[in-house]
Amino acid sequence: MLQLQQGGWILVFLLLLTLYAAYVFFERYLALRREKIGGERLMREVDASVRRGQVEVALEAARAHGGTLGRFMLAGLARVPFGVTAVDAALKAALLEEESRLARGLGVLSVTAQVAPLLGLLGTVSGMIRAFNVLASQGQTTAKLLAGGIGEALFTTAAGLIVAIPALIAYHYLAGRVDDILSELEQRREELLGILAEVRNGEPQA
């Protein structure tokens, strides 16, 4: 409680920012953890169904798979009757949509990692100003009179770094997870387009 008083309103703001960033991290962590990735089985089913001309079967497999990959494949497979170009356009649009959905909230962590040290620096400046005001107003001062301003300077600087470092780590961890998912979607896009190109060129069924 003493540290909170010494830190002033900036430390209170940093505490609220920490709580919000922690909420965003755990919400995004749990959401991304639930995402289904491994799509090898789905792609085998899609491959076999499309080569047999059974697009509805492929669509049903994508629905059953669910998750990001399932939605992504549904967007492309739904456009199969309109040609490879239409499928490619649908997959690109779906990729952008999924990227926006998966990366939701990451901006909060990024901003927290950038703003927290600046708030700590602001607290340092504010604390030192208070300390020098004490010096200016008191002919002879003591360490006790300066403790409030110096304490605010030290606590807010440390607090800013304590908030920023975990926020930065959390941001890069989640961003890496999002990149992994998007990389797989891009890979599956290439696979589906390759299957459709082979079918269009009359390659024998596997």
Side-chain angles (χ1 to χ4, degrees), residues 82-104:
F82 302 97
V84 176
T85 301
V87 172
D88 190 21
L91 290 175
K92 287 179 179 178
L95 186 62
L96 292 175
E97 182 178 341
E98 292 299 333
E99 180 179 9
S100 176
R101 189 184 64 82
L102 292 169
R104 187 179 68 250

Side-chain angles (χ1 to χ4, degrees), residues 16-174:
L16 295 175
L17 188 61
T18 301
L19 294 175
Y20 183 53
Y23 164 77
V24 170
F25 170 73
F26 285 111
E27 188 277 328
R28 288 286 82 204
Y29 171 77
L30 294 175
L32 293 174
R33 188 179 180 183
R34 290 192 296 267
E35 290 294 341
K36 294 182 180 179
I37 299 301
E40 289 78 10
R41 179 178 177 181
L42 172 61
M43 292 309 298
R44 286 196 298 269
E45 294 178 2
V46 168
D47 188 351
S49 299
V50 170
R51 291 181 188 279
R52 290 194 300 265
Q54 299 174 337
V55 178
E56 286 299 325
V57 175
L59 285 167
E60 187 57 38
R63 291 191 190 95
H65 186 276
T68 297
L69 181 58
R71 289 190 299 271
F72 180 72
M73 294 304 296
L74 276 172
L77 290 169
R79 305 298 293 175
V80 168
F82 302 97
V84 176
T85 301
V87 172
D88 190 21
L91 290 175
K92 287 179 179 178
L95 186 62
L96 292 175
E97 182 178 341
E98 292 299 333
E99 180 179 9
S100 176
R101 189 184 64 82
L102 292 169
R104 187 179 68 250
L106 296 191
V108 171
L109 297 175
S110 178
V111 169
T112 298
Q114 296 176 60
V115 170
L118 297 179
L119 288 173
L121 180 60
L122 178 60
T124 300
V125 174
S126 174
M128 295 309 296
I129 289 173
R130 284 180 53 192
F132 282 113
N133 284 339
V134 170
L135 284 173
S137 62
Q138 301 289 333
Q140 292 183 342
T141 187
T142 64
K144 185 177 181 179
L145 292 174
L146 294 173
I150 294 176
E152 180 179 335
L154 294 177
F155 281 119
T156 55
T157 299
L161 294 175
I162 290 171
V163 172
I165 293 172
L168 186 61
I169 294 172
Y171 168 77
H172 282 289
Y173 172 79
L174 294 178

